[in-house]
């Protein structure tokens, strides 16, 4: 609570601490501008129809099939640890963070349906 108080004293009452993953991770003080809500997985609902789930569902053939339906043939399941919730989440991700639909080209290679 003391860190949050210092953060608000610096940047105003609407400032908040935000965890930034990557490397060893860090916590920064930021003004509320909606980026915090977008960057924290707990604010984003899981897409159950795409094979996403709480816990590790990467070995589920059904979840993998659902993910490929959402993200294309190169979609895959990945586990992400959410430190502030203390749980793993299985996420469906596409190539380079984007979805490739059936029939689209990836550097000259054709994806088959």
């Amino acid at each position: 609570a003391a860190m949050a108080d210092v953060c608000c004293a610096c940047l105003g009452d609407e400032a908040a601490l935000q965890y930034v993953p990557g490397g060893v991770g860090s916590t920064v003080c930021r003004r509320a501008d909606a980026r915090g809500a977008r960057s924290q997985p707990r604010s984003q609902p899981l897409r159950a129809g795409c094979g996403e789930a709480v816990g590790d569902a990467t070995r589920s053939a059904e979840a993998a099939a659902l993910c490929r339906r959402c993200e294309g043939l190169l979609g895959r399941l990945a586990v992400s640890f959410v430190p502030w919730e203390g749980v793993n989440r299985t996420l469906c991700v596409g190539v380079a963070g984007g979805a490739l639909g059936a029939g689209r080209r990836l550097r000259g290679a054709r994806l088959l349906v």
Side-chain angles (χ1 to χ4, degrees), residues 3-107:
M3 291 287 292
D5 293 338
V6 171
C7 178
C8 288
C10 247
L11 296 179
D13 290 338
E14 293 184 16
L17 296 174
Q18 180 183 359
Y19 176 76
V20 180
V24 295
S26 62
T27 302
V28 295
C29 177
R30 294 203 172 145
R31 289 185 198 161
D33 64 359
R35 283 185 294 174
R38 290 192 316 262
S39 69
Q40 296 190 20
R42 68 176 168 201
S43 66
Q44 300 298 318
L46 290 170
R47 300 177 301 160
C50 294
E52 296 183 345
V54 173
D56 184 350
T58 56
R59 294 184 181 179
S60 166
E62 180 182 355
L66 289 171
C67 179
R68 284 190 299 276
R69 274 202 296 194
C70 289
E71 294 293 335
L73 293 176
L74 298 178
R76 65 180 179 83
L77 297 172
V79 175
S80 176
F81 179 68
V82 183
W84 49 87
E85 292 179 3
V87 297
N88 284 324
R89 292 168 57 121
T90 300
L91 304 175
C92 176
V93 296
V95 175
L100 286 176
R104 291 199 182 177
R105 294 185 181 271
L106 175 63
R107 297 189 188 269

